[in-house]
Amino acid sequence: DKLEHDGKLPILPPGVTREVFTKAIVELRNILGGGAEEQTTAAAVVVNDKPLDDGWYLEHPNTHDAFHLYDQEDTVSSATVYPGSVTDVQKIVRWANKYLIPIYPISIGRNLGYGGAAPRVRGSVVIDLGKRMNKVLNIDGGNCSCLVEPGVTYFDLYEAVQKGGYDLWIDTPDLGGGSVLGNALDRGVGYTSYGDHFGNHCGMEVVLPTGDIVRLGMGALPAVEGGDSINPTWQSFQYGYGPYSDGIFTQSNFGIVTKMGFWLMPATEHLTFAITFPREEDFEQIIDIIKPLSARRVFGNVPQIRHAVQELAISGKKRKDVYDNPQEPIPAEVITSVYGPEEQRKDNLKTIRQAFSIIKDAKFVFPDEVPLSHYLHSRVAICAGIPGLTDLNWLQWRPNGSHLFFSPISSVNGQDAQKLYDIVKKRHAEFGFDMMPAFCIAPREMHFIDCLVYDRENADEKRRAVKCMRAMIDDTAKEGYGEYRTHILLADQVAATYNWNNGALMKLNETLKDALDPNGILAPGKAGIWPKRFRDGVQNE
Amino acid sequence: DKLEHDGKLPILPPGVTREVFTKAIVELRNILGGGAEEQTTAAAVVVNDKPLDDGWYLEHPNTHDAFHLYDQEDTVSSATVYPGSVTDVQKIVRWANKYLIPIYPISIGRNLGYGGAAPRVRGSVVIDLGKRMNKVLNIDGGNCSCLVEPGVTYFDLYEAVQKGGYDLWIDTPDLGGGSVLGNALDRGVGYTSYGDHFGNHCGMEVVLPTGDIVRLGMGALPAVEGGDSINPTWQSFQYGYGPYSDGIFTQSNFGIVTKMGFWLMPATEHLTFAITFPREEDFEQIIDIIKPLSARRVFGNVPQIRHAVQELAISGKKRKDVYDNPQEPIPAEVITSVYGPEEQRKDNLKTIRQAFSIIKDAKFVFPDEVPLSHYLHSRVAICAGIPGLTDLNWLQWRPNGSHLFFSPISSVNGQDAQKLYDIVKKRHAEFGFDMMPAFCIAPREMHFIDCLVYDRENADEKRRAVKCMRAMIDDTAKEGYGEYRTHILLADQVAATYNWNNGALMKLNETLKDALDPNGILAPGKAGIWPKRFRDGVQNE
Ligand SMILES: Cc1cc2nc3c(=O)[nH]c(=O)nc-3n(C[C@H](O)[C@H](O)[C@H](O)COP(=O)(O)OP(=O)(O)OC[C@H]3O[C@@H](n4cnc5c(N)ncnc54)[C@H](O)[C@@H]3O)c2cc1C
Ligand SMILES: Cc1cc2nc3c(=O)[nH]c(=O)nc-3n(C[C@H](O)[C@H](O)[C@H](O)COP(=O)(O)OP(=O)(O)OC[C@H]3O[C@@H](n4cnc5c(N)ncnc54)[C@H](O)[C@@H]3O)c2cc1C
C-alpha cells in the first residue's frame, strides 16, 4: 500500500528531479523578492523537509492531511509558498508552468474530513493564500455584503462586522476557523437563511492557470474612476453579462480565487429550538412532515436531524455511557430556527407545532429551558451566525479522533432517508464504527452528513474506515444517490459515479481543464479531474 | 449601411457557396429522415427563400428579427430546421461541423426587444427547438419542480400544472408566450418569489457544439434502473459534484440546451397592490425606502417602480391625452406583493405602509378598489404566476410598434437610480423618444428596464433608436453601470464595456468557446463571443 519514494525530504513532485526542484525553489524565492533572511521565513517559501506534525484544529498543518487516511506521507507537499498579493499568486502560477510543478491552493486548509490542506498529487507545492492575504476588503452595510481575501475566517469576518457596528449577520458552518472564501469554493453549508455559501456569494476574482487575472460578474466593469479599483455593483448582482462562469471555479481545479464577495443577512430576531423524538421508527415520518414546511419556508433555515450520539459526544459522554444502558433509547432531534418579527415567528412556530403533533412523544425544547452548558445553546449561536468550535468535541469519541465525511444527496422524503440510513448503518456495523449521522433538510434535497470518526494512529481502523467509505459510495450510487463533496483521495471514485452517457460530464470537465490549464499544473486530480499530461501517462498513486 | 449580398434567396452563410449550401440542405433533410414529402414540411428543413413577414406576437417569424433595427434582412437566416428529438439535435450539430455552417438555436424565438429569433450571423441556420420538442416531461408535486423541453411556454406550463391539480405556482415574465427554458437561458426575470429564472432552475441537458450530450448536476448520476431514464434527484439539487457548469450555458454560445428542470413555488395566499406617487422628485427617496425592506424580504417579490406612461399606454391612452395636459402630473407607482398566511401578510403590509408614510400623497391602491379593466389586475395575475399578454399593449404607443430594451444594472440606491434616469431621459429627449422606464428592485440590485418603442417602418426612427441605445450604453458604462442583457446586434458594444484588465473576461470566454466549439459553428457573435475562425478573418457585418 505504501507509496514509494527515495527516502529523502522533501518528497518531490512527479517527474521533477531533486536538482531541478532545488533550482526551482531558489528561483521562486527570488521571484517573490525579499532578502536572503526573509526568504527562509514564512513570508516566502518553506520546503517541507521536517518531520510531519498533525497538530490540532487551531494549529493545523499545511504540509499534509492532518486526518490522513492511508500513510501520513501520502498526500504530502514538497513545499508551501505564502503569497502576499495577487501579483505574487500570478508569479507563482507562471513559475509552476515553467517547471511543470503541480501547485495546490488552500485558503486556510482546515478542510478537515475532506483532505485538510493536502494536495492530491504528492510533492505538489501548496499555495497557502490565507496566511498573508487575509483582509476583509469591504463591508457594505447598505448593500448587506462584503468582499474578502482567502485568509478571512468566519471568526475574522464576524469580528469585522461587530467592530463596524453593522446590523448584519454572517453565516458560519459548524466550525468558525475555516475560510469564508475556501468553504464557499468547496460549496460548504451553514445554518441561517444564507446557508448555501456558494449561492450567497457575489463576485469573484480569479488567477487562471496561465497567470492571467479575471474578475467575474459586475467586477469586469471598470470602476468609475478607472484603474484597478472596484466596480460598485460587483457585490450587488451575481450574473453580470454573458456566460455566468463563477460555478466552474468551485469544486474544481480551473483557477485560484483571490477575492470573493458575499451577501450578508440583515440581522433579525430569531428563535432556535430542538424537537426531540425517542423512536428511530418515527424517522421516516418526520422527514415527510418537514418536507412541505421546508418548501414553504416555514423554517428560516435548513433543519437538521441529528442522531443524539453526536450531541452526547459533544457533551462529554463516553461510549459506554451511551451504549451500555439499553433500557434508555438513544433519541434523535430536529434542530431549526424561525426568524423575523415576533408575529411571524409565532405564526411559524404554531404551524411547526401542529405538524409535529402527530409524532408520539415528540418534545419541543427551547433554549431557556436547558442549562447554559447544553448543546442547544451552541446551535442557537450558529443559527444566528455566531462562529464557534463546539462541534470539534465529537471528534473525541475516539482517541486521536479523526474523521471522514460521507455526504450523499437525496430528494426529501422518508423513504430515501431511510434507505440511506440503512446503508450507512449496515456498513458501519460491518466495519466496526459508531454512526453519527445528521440530515440537513433543504426545501428539495437533503444533505446526509455521516461523520465517520476514527483513530488515525490505528492502522487497522484507518483501513476499515476507507473500506467503509468506498463501500458506502458504491452502495448509494447503485440506488441513484451521489455525494455533494468528498475527501480528496476518494474523489476519483465519487466522480466516476456521475457517469451518465459514458462519463460525458467528466469529458466536459476535462475539455475545460485542458483549455484553461494546458500544462496541467493546478491541483491535478482535484474533484477527480486530471489534466492531459497526467491522463496520458505520468502516474500518481 | 445596407449589407451586401448577391440578391438571391436564401441569403447564404458566410464563406459557403450556393452549390455547397444546396447540397448541404439535401444532406440535412436525408439525415433527419422522412420521405420526400415530409422533407418539405415543417417536420424537417425550411429554406428561407420567401419574402420576410414580421408577423405579430403569436405568429412571430423564425426567419429574422420581427423588430429589426437596421434592415429587415440584416439578421436573416438561410433556413430553419425543426428537430424532433435530442438525437436530431446531435445530427444537426454534426452536420454543421461538417459544412462549417453557423447554427443558431432558439426555443420559441419570442425574444422581442433583444433580437427575436434572429441569428447574429446572417445566413445562419436557425434551429427551432420548440416546435416539435415541446413536452412538459415531468411535474413533481412533492418536490415542487418540473422538467421541460425547449418548446414549453409559460402558458403551456401553467396549463399543465392546473390540469394536474398541483398546488403550485409557476413564475412568468410579463408575456406568457415565451419559452420557460429559453427565457431562463437568457437569464430573464419574473414577478413572484421565484422571479430569478436561472436561479430557480435545477438541472440541464446540453448538446455540446461537438454533438456530445451531457447532463449537468445530479442528472449525471444514472437512474436507479440504469439506461437513459432520469435520476430522481436531478430536480432536487442544483450543484451536483465537481465544477458547477450550468451558468456557462446561459447568455452564451457554448451549447444547445435540450432539457431543463425548474423549481415551482408552493401556492400561497397573496396580495398585490400599487403605491402611487405624483411627484418625480420623490423618486430617489422611494428607492431608499424600498431598499432595506427588500433586503429583509418584507416584499414577497421584486417591487417594480413604473412610470405611468407605460400603464397609460396599456390602458389605451393616446400620446396627446398624456402629454398635452400639463396641469396633471404624470404619476409613477410601485407595484409589489406580500405572500404567505394572513397574519404575515398583514404584518408585512403594516411595515410597508409605515415606511411609505413619509412620502407626501403616496397612495395605496388595492385590486378590490379599482375596476376590473384596471392594469393592476393584470399585475395581480402575473404576481401570482398566471401568464398573460397585457403588456403587449404598450407597443401600441407608436404605429408598427417595435421596441428595444435598455437594461442596465445598478446598486439599490436613490442616487444611482436618479443618475440612470437622468441619462435615459436626456438621451430619449435628444433622439426624440418618449420614456417608458421601469425599475425592478431586488434586495441588492436594480434592473432598470427602459423600453424604447419605435416604428419599424420608419427608417429615420430606427436609426435614431439605435443611436440612442448606443449612446446610453456608453454613457452608463462611464458611470460604472453595465447591461444585464441586450439586443443581439448591440452585444459587441455591451460586452466591450465589461473590459477590466484589458478584456480579461472576454479572453476567458473565448478560451472556453474555442475549447467547446473548435469549428466555431454555434451562434457566432452571441453575447459578443466570436469563435476563432470569425476572430481570425471571416467577416460579418
Ligand atoms: C467537526 C466539523 C464540523 C464541520 N462542519 C461543517 C459544516 O457545517 N459545513 C461545512 O461546509 N463544512 C464543515 N466542516 C468541514 C470543514 O471544516 C469546513 O468546510 C471548512 O470551512 C473548510 O476548510 P477551509 O475553510 O479552511 O477551506 P480550505 O481548506 O482552505 O479550502 C477548501 C478547498 O477549496 C479549495 N480552495 C480553497 N481556497 C481556494 C482558492 N483560493 N482558490 C481555489 N481553490 C481553493 C482547495 O482545494 C481546498 O481544499 C466541518 C468539519 C469538522 C471537522
Ligand atoms: C412587452 C414585453 C415585455 C417583456 N417582459 C419581459 C419580462 O418581464 N421578463 C423577461 O425576462 N423578458 C421580458 N420580455 C422579453 C421576452 O419577451 C422574453 O424574455 C421571452 O421569454 C424571450 O423569448 P423566448 O422565451 O421565446 O426565448 P428564445 O427567443 O427562444 O430564447 C432566448 C435566447 O436564448 C437562446 N436560447 C434559446 N433556447 C436555447 C437553447 N435551447 N439552447 C441554447 N440557447 C438557447 C437564444 O440565443 C435565444 O435568442 C418582454 C418582451 C416584451 C415585448
Side-chain angles (χ1 to χ4, degrees):
Chain A
D1 255 334
K2 215 170 149 69
L3 288 180
E4 294 300 316
H5 68 88
D6 65 6
K8 295 191 196 128
L9 293 176
I11 290 178
L12 297 172
V16 178
T17 65
R18 198 159 296 277
E19 203 186 334
V20 170
F21 182 77
T22 307
K23 184 174 155 243
I25 290 291
V26 170
E27 187 173 318
L28 182 58
R29 286 184 170 143
N30 287 332
I31 291 169
L32 295 180
E37 257 158 318
E38 204 179 320
Q39 285 163 16
T40 61
T41 72
V45 185
V46 177
V47 171
N48 189 8
D49 54 8
K50 307 281 174 316
L52 298 176
D53 179 353
D54 290 343
W56 63 294
Y57 186 78
L58 290 176
E59 308 263 357
H60 67 288
N62 58 14
T63 46
H64 69 293
D65 184 2
F67 291 178
H68 31 90
L69 290 194
Y70 298 88
D71 194 86
Q72 197 190 28
E73 278 186 354
D74 279 355
T75 53
V76 84
S77 66
S78 55
T80 304
V81 52
Y82 300 93
S85 67
V86 179
T87 313
D88 278 358
V89 176
Q90 292 181 282
K91 287 178 185 165
I92 295 165
V93 167
R94 294 198 175 115
W95 167 87
N97 274 286
K98 178 172 170 188
Y99 287 101
L100 296 183
I101 292 179
I103 46 180
Y104 190 84
I106 57 170
S107 284
I108 294 286
R110 290 202 180 107
N111 205 7
L112 300 173
Y114 294 117
R120 174 64 181 84
V121 171
R122 202 159 62 145
S124 297
V125 170
V126 165
I127 309 181
D128 184 333
L129 296 147
K131 189 147 191 175
R132 296 170 63 202
M133 298 169 72
N134 53 19
K135 278 189 284 301
V136 177
L137 297 170
N138 188 37
I139 297 177
D140 184 330
N143 198 55
C144 310
S145 65
C146 66
L147 181 68
V148 298
E149 289 188 328
V152 173
T153 66
Y154 295 98
F155 286 116
D156 296 338
L157 184 58
Y158 178 76
E159 213 171 284
V161 169
Q162 296 310 305
K163 267 201 189 145
Y166 299 103
D167 203 21
L168 296 170
W169 281 8
I170 71 163
D171 183 281
T172 173
D174 286 331
L175 302 178
S179 159
V180 174
L181 182 156
N183 179 285
L185 291 181
D186 227 20
R187 297 203 299 260
V189 297
Y191 306 94
T192 72
S193 313
Y194 284 39
D196 173 359
H197 292 164
F198 173 70
N200 285 288
H201 97 282
C202 191
M204 278 187 187
E205 180 186 81
V206 186
V207 173
L208 297 172
T210 50
D212 297 325
I213 323 177
V214 61
R215 286 194 184 156
L216 303 178
M218 305 304 277
L221 287 171
V224 185
E225 313 78 11
D228 186 52
S229 56
I230 280 163
N231 183 278
T233 56
W234 199 10
Q235 273 65 64
S236 299
F237 183 56
Q238 293 177 310
Y239 303 144
Y241 175 76
Y244 171 54
S245 302
D246 296 38
I248 66 171
F249 297 102
T250 63
Q251 288 193 7
S252 78
N253 45 18
F254 298 166
I256 301 178
V257 179
T258 45
K259 291 184 182 68
M260 201 161 162
F262 290 92
W263 290 340
L264 300 172
M265 182 168 157
T268 174
E269 294 170 85
H270 59 101
L271 173 66
T272 295
F273 54 94
I275 311 163
T276 62
F277 57 100
R279 269 174 301 276
E280 230 184 29
E281 56 275 25
D282 288 333
F283 171 61
E284 219 180 298
Q285 196 178 4
I286 283 169
I287 301 268
D288 291 330
I289 288 173
I290 291 175
K291 181 181 180 144
L293 301 184
S294 188
R296 279 169 196 280
R297 303 217 170 272
V298 174
F299 308 110
N301 54 9
V302 161
Q304 280 193 294
I305 303 188
R306 290 193 178 233
H307 200 276
V309 171
Q310 219 172 3
E311 177 175 334
L312 295 167
I314 286 168
S315 56
K317 281 265 194 324
K318 297 207 197 82
R319 190 172 192 286
K320 71 170 175 40
D321 301 339
V322 178
Y323 282 100
D324 296 355
N325 189 3
Q327 55 270 51
E328 250 187 57
I330 306 172
E333 63 190 349
V334 182
I335 298 179
T336 192
S337 312
V338 287
Y339 298 126
E342 189 174 3
E343 286 306 313
Q344 305 198 10
R345 292 199 315 278
K346 270 194 188 155
D347 202 46
N348 286 331
L349 185 59
K350 202 176 75 189
T351 307
I352 298 167
R353 273 194 191 277
Q354 199 174 337
F356 274 90
S357 64
I358 57 173
I359 301 294
K360 203 162 161 260
D361 300 328
K363 230 184 86 188
F364 279 68
V365 181
F366 295 94
D368 58 5
E369 303 165 358
V370 295
L372 269 179
S373 64
H374 194 282
Y375 177 56
L376 184 53
H377 289 288
S378 86
R379 299 317 296 175
V380 171
I382 296 284
C383 293
I386 302 168
L389 293 175
T390 306
D391 267 44
L392 272 181
N393 296 345
W394 52 255
L395 296 181
Q396 305 310 319
W397 191 247
R398 300 286 302 140
N400 307 303
S402 296
H403 78 106
L404 273 163
F405 279 119
F406 174 63
S407 326
I409 299 282
S410 82
S411 307
V412 183
N413 63 68
Q415 261 186 322
D416 284 310
Q418 191 66 52
K419 220 191 259 177
L420 278 171
Y421 188 83
D422 291 344
I423 288 171
V424 172
K425 191 170 176 175
K426 179 169 158 271
R427 290 299 190 180
H428 277 237
E430 179 183 346
F431 292 104
F433 293 100
D434 291 329
M435 239 184 129
M436 293 194 180
F439 288 88
C440 301
I441 304 170
R444 292 174 185 80
E445 55 82 18
M446 302 183 297
H447 282 49
F448 182 122
I449 308 288
D450 169 48
C451 311
L452 198 159
V453 179
Y454 63 93
D455 173 355
R456 70 172 174 274
E457 299 304 326
N458 181 330
D460 173 61
E461 202 163 314
K462 290 212 283 192
R463 254 191 303 273
R464 283 187 281 120
V466 174
K467 276 193 184 151
C468 182
M469 286 290 285
R470 294 211 179 270
M472 292 191 297
I473 294 167
D474 279 351
D475 291 350
T476 47
K478 266 182 216 124
E479 302 290 340
Y481 309 117
E483 278 66 60
Y484 97 99
R485 187 176 175 193
T486 198
H487 189 281
I488 191 151
L489 285 178
L490 303 172
D492 288 331
Q493 190 187 352
V494 166
T497 64
Y498 285 77
N499 62 358
W500 185 80
N501 190 23
N502 301 315
L505 181 61
M506 185 51 78
K507 279 177 213 154
L508 170 62
N509 290 342
E510 288 175 351
T511 301
L512 297 177
K513 178 66 178 170
D514 294 342
L516 294 168
D517 183 10
N519 294 323
I521 48 102
L522 189 63
K526 176 106 205 273
I529 304 167
W530 293 94
K532 197 160 193 313
R533 73 180 170 108
F534 283 82
R535 296 200 299 278
D536 287 357
V538 181
Q539 288 306 315
N540 186 63
E541 217 205 25
Chain B
D1 255 332
K2 215 171 150 68
L3 288 180
E4 295 299 315
H5 69 87
D6 65 5
K8 295 192 196 127
L9 292 176
I11 289 178
L12 298 172
V16 177
T17 65
R18 197 158 297 277
E19 204 186 333
V20 170
F21 182 77
T22 307
K23 185 175 153 239
I25 290 292
V26 171
E27 186 174 316
L28 182 59
R29 286 184 168 144
N30 286 333
I31 290 168
L32 296 180
E37 256 158 318
E38 203 179 320
Q39 286 162 15
T40 61
T41 72
V45 184
V46 176
V47 172
N48 190 9
D49 54 8
K50 308 280 175 317
L52 298 176
D53 179 353
D54 291 342
W56 62 295
Y57 186 79
L58 290 176
E59 307 264 356
H60 68 288
N62 57 15
T63 46
H64 69 293
D65 184 2
F67 290 178
H68 31 91
L69 290 195
Y70 297 89
D71 194 86
Q72 197 189 29
E73 277 186 355
D74 279 355
T75 53
V76 85
S77 67
S78 56
T80 303
V81 53
Y82 299 92
S85 66
V86 179
T87 312
D88 278 359
V89 176
Q90 292 181 281
K91 286 178 184 166
I92 296 164
V93 167
R94 293 197 174 116
W95 167 87
N97 274 287
K98 178 171 170 189
Y99 288 99
L100 296 183
I101 291 178
I103 46 181
Y104 189 84
I106 58 170
S107 284
I108 295 286
R110 289 204 180 106
N111 205 8
L112 299 174
Y114 294 116
R120 173 64 182 83
V121 170
R122 202 159 62 145
S124 296
V125 170
V126 165
I127 309 181
D128 185 332
L129 295 147
K131 188 147 191 173
R132 295 169 65 201
M133 297 169 72
N134 54 18
K135 276 189 283 301
V136 176
L137 296 171
N138 189 36
I139 296 178
D140 184 330
N143 198 55
C144 310
S145 65
C146 67
L147 181 69
V148 299
E149 290 187 329
V152 174
T153 66
Y154 295 98
F155 285 116
D156 295 337
L157 183 59
Y158 179 76
E159 213 171 286
V161 169
Q162 297 310 305
K163 266 200 190 145
Y166 300 102
D167 203 21
L168 295 171
W169 281 9
I170 71 162
D171 182 281
T172 173
D174 284 333
L175 302 177
S179 160
V180 174
L181 182 156
N183 179 285
L185 292 182
D186 228 20
R187 298 204 298 261
V189 297
Y191 306 94
T192 72
S193 314
Y194 285 37
D196 172 359
H197 293 164
F198 173 71
N200 285 287
H201 97 282
C202 192
M204 277 186 188
E205 180 184 81
V206 186
V207 173
L208 297 172
T210 50
D212 297 326
I213 324 175
V214 62
R215 286 194 183 156
L216 302 178
M218 304 304 277
L221 286 171
V224 185
E225 314 78 10
D228 186 52
S229 55
I230 280 164
N231 182 278
T233 56
W234 199 11
Q235 273 65 63
S236 299
F237 183 57
Q238 294 177 309
Y239 303 144
Y241 174 76
Y244 172 55
S245 302
D246 296 37
I248 66 171
F249 298 102
T250 63
Q251 287 194 6
S252 77
N253 45 17
F254 298 166
I256 300 177
V257 179
T258 46
K259 291 185 182 68
M260 202 161 161
F262 290 93
W263 289 341
L264 300 172
M265 182 168 157
T268 174
E269 292 169 87
H270 60 102
L271 173 66
T272 295
F273 54 95
I275 311 164
T276 62
F277 57 101
R279 269 174 302 275
E280 231 184 30
E281 54 276 24
D282 289 332
F283 172 58
E284 221 181 295
Q285 195 179 4
I286 283 170
I287 301 268
D288 291 328
I289 288 173
I290 291 175
K291 181 180 181 144
L293 301 182
S294 188
R296 280 168 195 279
R297 302 214 170 274
V298 173
F299 308 110
N301 55 8
V302 162
Q304 279 194 296
I305 303 188
R306 290 194 178 231
H307 199 275
V309 171
Q310 217 172 5
E311 177 175 335
L312 295 168
I314 286 168
S315 56
K317 281 263 194 323
K318 295 205 198 83
R319 190 171 190 286
K320 71 169 173 46
D321 301 339
V322 177
Y323 283 100
D324 297 354
N325 190 5
Q327 55 268 53
E328 250 188 57
I330 304 171
E333 63 190 350
V334 181
I335 298 179
T336 191
S337 311
V338 287
Y339 298 124
E342 191 174 1
E343 288 304 315
Q344 307 198 8
R345 291 199 316 278
K346 271 194 189 155
D347 202 44
N348 286 331
L349 185 57
K350 203 176 74 190
T351 307
I352 297 166
R353 272 194 191 277
Q354 199 173 337
F356 274 88
S357 63
I358 57 172
I359 301 294
K360 201 162 161 262
D361 300 327
K363 229 185 87 189
F364 280 68
V365 182
F366 295 95
D368 58 4
E369 303 165 358
V370 296
L372 267 179
S373 64
H374 195 282
Y375 178 54
L376 184 53
H377 289 288
S378 87
R379 298 318 297 176
V380 171
I382 297 285
C383 293
I386 302 167
L389 293 176
T390 305
D391 268 43
L392 271 181
N393 297 344
W394 53 254
L395 295 181
Q396 305 310 317
W397 191 247
R398 298 286 301 139
N400 306 304
S402 295
H403 78 107
L404 273 163
F405 280 119
F406 173 62
S407 326
I409 299 283
S410 81
S411 307
V412 183
N413 64 67
Q415 260 187 321
D416 285 310
Q418 192 65 52
K419 220 191 261 176
L420 278 171
Y421 188 82
D422 291 344
I423 288 170
V424 171
K425 192 169 176 176
K426 179 168 159 271
R427 291 298 191 180
H428 277 238
E430 177 182 348
F431 293 103
F433 293 100
D434 290 329
M435 240 184 125
M436 292 193 181
F439 288 88
C440 301
I441 304 172
R444 292 175 184 79
E445 55 81 20
M446 302 183 298
H447 283 48
F448 181 123
I449 308 288
D450 169 49
C451 310
L452 198 159
V453 179
Y454 63 94
D455 173 355
R456 70 174 173 273
E457 299 305 325
N458 181 330
D460 173 60
E461 201 164 314
K462 289 210 284 192
R463 253 190 304 271
R464 284 188 280 119
V466 174
K467 277 192 185 149
C468 182
M469 285 291 285
R470 294 212 179 270
M472 293 191 296
I473 294 168
D474 279 350
D475 291 350
T476 47
K478 267 182 216 122
E479 303 290 341
Y481 309 117
E483 278 66 60
Y484 97 98
R485 187 175 174 192
T486 198
H487 190 282
I488 191 150
L489 284 179
L490 303 173
D492 288 330
Q493 189 187 352
V494 166
T497 63
Y498 286 76
N499 63 358
W500 185 81
N501 190 24
N502 301 314
L505 181 61
M506 185 50 79
K507 280 178 213 152
L508 170 62
N509 290 342
E510 289 176 350
T511 302
L512 297 177
K513 178 67 179 169
D514 294 342
L516 293 169
D517 184 9
N519 293 323
I521 48 104
L522 189 63
K526 176 107 205 274
I529 303 167
W530 294 94
K532 198 158 191 314
R533 74 181 170 108
F534 284 82
R535 296 199 300 277
D536 286 357
V538 181
Q539 289 306 315
N540 185 63
E541 216 202 26

